[in-house]
Amino acid sequence: SSSNSGLQGIHMAAYGSAPGMTIGSSGLALHDEEAEIDHLNRRLVVLKAENLHKTYLLGMEGVAALRGVSMKVRRGELVLLYGASGGGKTTLLNLLGTIDAPTKGKLSVCGQTISERTPEMLMSNLRLKHIGFVWQTFNLITTLTALENVEMPMSLLGERSAQARKERAKELLTSVGLQDRLDHLPAMLSGGEQQRVIATQNDRLLPNYEAILSSNISFSLVLCGQTRSQ
């Protein structure tokens, strides 16, 4: 399970457990497997924060967004952060997603230590290959068509030919009913259509993601061509 402390006005609830764990009827690991499970748990930790701080400069004054956050999330867990607006939820997600770096404290994402000195190239690679995002806003590239937006992550990975990327992007967009919107720019799409474009972007790498971060739990997921409110 996940643990947390230092969340200012934020609450955290964890659901599920890491696959492969053996749990006794009392809820405690069986004695003869404790060492093995302890090793497994450490290996399965994908997000770990220790005494995490984030301070932003506003003119000459420092504004503390996070103060001493500690938490641990293992593979296979669903963790919800909730609290009042301004409590630091988005700031924490930005740190966990390597969009920003902590001012102080220790942060490990998918086994990689993250600090203010971590090269942007390394963090970009983590985001591309290991972290999925569901944004509160759609964040599509406004000058690219729906087809080109879906192709972009595949192009960055460099794992397919240009023709193969295009065919896969067409297949994904068709699966969510956007076969007639392939050449439309984001401004020409409805909110629901833009959301489906985002879903197909994530579909390409979903099996390989170590963590999926969402800034709004009331988002809609597109499954089997149908939008279902989650």
Side-chain angles (χ1 to χ4, degrees):
S1 63
S2 301
S3 61
N4 74 94
S5 64
L7 295 172
Q8 304 298 313
I10 305 176
H11 304 280
M12 186 166 79
Y15 301 87
S17 60
M21 292 181 63
T22 303
I23 305 297
S25 58
S26 65
L28 301 176
L30 298 177
H31 179 71
D32 59 349
E33 297 181 352
E34 284 181 350
E36 179 182 351
I37 291 174
D38 183 59
H39 170 74
L40 179 63
N41 286 345
R42 287 197 301 271
R43 184 169 59 85
L44 290 175
V45 171
V46 292
L47 302 172
K48 183 178 180 180
E50 297 181 41
N51 193 31
L52 214 59
H53 290 251
K54 183 62 183 180
T55 301
Y56 295 100
L57 287 178
L58 188 59
M60 299 295 293
E61 184 179 350
V63 178
L66 292 177
R67 300 176 181 175
V69 174
S70 294
M71 63 180 295
K72 186 184 296 182
V73 180
R74 295 184 176 91
R75 185 178 300 164
E77 285 186 319
L78 170 63
V79 179
L80 307 180
L81 297 174
Y82 59 97
S85 178
K89 301 183 298 298
T90 299
T91 297
L92 179 57
L93 286 177
N94 285 342
L95 297 184
L96 296 176
T98 73
I99 295 172
D100 207 347
T103 305
K104 177 184 175 183
K106 296 180 180 180
L107 174 62
S108 174
V109 178
C110 304
Q112 176 64 51
T113 299
I114 304 297
S115 71
E116 287 190 314
R117 298 182 180 181
T118 302
E120 177 57 36
M121 182 65 72
L122 190 151
M123 293 194 291
S124 295
N125 190 59
L126 276 176
R127 291 192 294 269
L128 175 64
K129 296 183 177 179
H130 301 288
I131 305 173
F133 294 93
V134 180
W135 302 100
Q136 206 163 2
T137 54
F138 302 118
N139 286 339
L140 293 171
I141 299 176
T142 58
T143 57
L144 298 183
T145 65
L147 185 68
E148 291 167 338
N149 266 287
V150 175
E151 282 187 74
M152 179 60 70
M154 295 184 254
S155 178
L156 292 172
L157 279 170
E159 294 180 352
R160 295 171 181 259
S161 67
Q163 185 60 35
R165 291 196 302 267
K166 182 170 291 188
E167 291 302 318
R168 179 55 176 159
K170 286 181 180 179
E171 178 185 342
L172 289 169
L173 288 168
T174 298
S175 73
V176 295
L178 293 179
Q179 61 273 12
D180 297 326
R181 298 287 189 270
L182 302 180
D183 297 323
H184 286 56
L185 297 172
M188 303 165 66
L189 302 173
S190 69
E193 288 171 337
Q194 291 184 58
Q195 194 169 53
R196 281 181 272 170
V197 174
I198 289 293
T200 57
Q201 278 186 324
N202 282 317
D203 180 86
R204 165 63 183 87
L205 291 173
L206 191 59
N208 300 319
Y209 284 151
E210 297 290 328
I212 300 176
L213 305 175
S214 171
S215 61
N216 189 344
I217 198 59
S218 60
F219 65 87
S220 296
L221 291 177
V222 180
L223 301 173
C224 302
Q226 297 181 345
T227 303
R228 304 177 183 179
S229 179
Q230 298 293 316

